[in-house]
Amino acid sequence: MADGQPAQAGAQEGKSPPINPRSGARLAVVQALYDMDISGKGVLDALAEFEAHWIGREIDGIVHPPAETAFFRDLLRGVVDEQRAIDPQLDAALSQGWPLRRIETVLRAILRAGAYELMFRPDVPARAAISQYVDVTHSFYNADEPGLVNAVLDRLARQVRPDEVANKPGAKRG
């Protein structure tokens, strides 16, 4: 994170093409998880703040994309409620010596949100979820982090959805 401002990273500037409401929800969830982690606020406060003040609003010249509200709520609550199931899976998918607790806060939020979708949202295709979180990662980072997210979520998907992601020819890679 070059500028240390995750709440602004990923927001559209100027006349960028609009992103779909589910992608907006994923971006907002990562921002909310980051905010919760650094501020200590709870999920209800984060939901209320993001829905009232951030999602779909322009703040200081930065346009925060609209988000599918029900999807945003499910993702945020789900990550928080299922964190005890998610974190050990992510620890197992990360390289030896790099447990989730050592991962930078925004990157940890991205991995947790992606893991929640892979583990608890079978209605979302695994490859689509991975691709979406790689895209979210590009909103915050310019270096190796998108590749890390792709690798970790792919490894996790092979564990939790093996039939869906098992080396299908022509399968979309994130």
Side-chain angles (χ1 to χ4, degrees), residues 79-149:
V79 170
V80 172
D81 291 348
E82 301 296 346
Q83 189 172 328
R84 287 184 179 201
I86 292 168
D87 285 3
Q89 292 287 334
L90 287 172
D91 276 335
L94 285 160
S95 297
Q96 287 278 358
W98 282 98
L100 187 62
R101 71 180 183 280
R102 288 186 63 188
I103 300 296
E104 190 271 329
T105 307
V106 173
L107 197 54
R108 189 170 52 237
I110 293 167
L111 290 171
R112 282 178 173 154
Y116 173 74
E117 283 198 55
L118 290 170
M119 294 170 66
F120 298 100
R121 291 295 305 247
D123 60 310
V124 177
R127 295 280 179 216
I130 293 167
S131 178
Q132 286 289 308
Y133 285 101
V134 168
D135 289 347
V136 167
T137 307
H138 280 290
S139 297
F140 295 99
Y141 301 98
N142 295 320
D144 298 331
E145 292 85 351
L148 172 73
V149 167

Side-chain angles (χ1 to χ4, degrees), residues 21-30 71 75 117 124 129 132-133 136:
R22 281 211 163 184
S23 296
R26 288 178 176 104
L27 182 60
V29 161
V30 168
F71 191 62
L75 293 179
E117 283 198 55
V124 177
Q132 286 289 308
Y133 285 101
V136 167

